[in-house]
Amino acid sequence: MKNYKAMKTAKSWSVKKTKVVDQAAISEVKDDDGNVVREASDEQSHNELQLVKKQFDSATGKALDDSVKSYDLDSLSNDITRIKDDIKSLQDEQADLEELEKDLKAL
């Protein structure tokens, strides 16, 4: 996440864990004869990790609704690994180019 550290310091971005209800609890319903018309079911929910960005109208400075993006730790970890691999590959390419430059200058 580009600029996360700076935006966090400026208190423009924050993270939070939120409970998200996938399905609300349903109570049992019976008809006049006592027959179950609708069975009860428990609430189904999960926790979600979110990045919250404060937003403002550039013309008026008025606060707008926050921008919220959900994150998964496994996906984030995969992104970090991919970026580290990209950095390693670029460093290897840089070393090769520097070696070539050195050899060409020696001519």
Side-chain angles (χ1 to χ4, degrees):
M1 172 56 55
K2 203 171 199 178
N3 295 325
Y4 173 74
K5 191 173 183 179
M7 297 307 279
K8 175 184 169 186
T9 301
K11 299 185 191 260
S12 294
W13 294 0
S14 61
V15 293
K16 69 178 183 176
K17 184 190 293 188
T18 302
K19 178 182 173 183
V20 176
V21 177
D22 301 314
Q23 180 179 337
I26 299 172
S27 58
E28 183 176 81
V29 175
K30 294 182 179 183
D31 64 12
D32 294 338
D33 297 329
N35 298 321
V36 176
V37 176
R38 181 178 67 192
E39 292 189 23
S41 67
D42 294 333
E43 174 183 277
Q44 294 178 7
S45 63
H46 67 279
N47 286 327
E48 193 170 85
L49 304 173
Q50 299 176 337
L51 171 65
V52 180
K53 298 179 185 180
K54 293 182 181 177
Q55 298 188 116
F56 300 92
D57 183 326
S58 59
T60 64
K62 181 180 175 185
L64 301 173
D65 289 341
D66 291 343
S67 168
V68 178
K69 182 174 180 185
S70 299
Y71 278 90
D72 175 79
L73 288 178
D74 289 335
S75 295
L76 193 55
S77 179
N78 289 338
D79 289 344
I80 291 168
T81 300
R82 180 186 47 78
I83 290 171
K84 285 181 178 180
D85 290 345
D86 289 348
I87 290 169
K88 173 78 172 96
S89 175
L90 289 169
Q91 288 173 332
D92 291 345
E93 183 178 356
Q94 177 187 1
D96 288 342
L97 290 172
E98 288 172 345
E99 186 69 24
L100 174 60
E101 179 185 41
K102 180 180 123 191
D103 290 347
L104 291 174
K105 284 181 176 179
L107 296 176

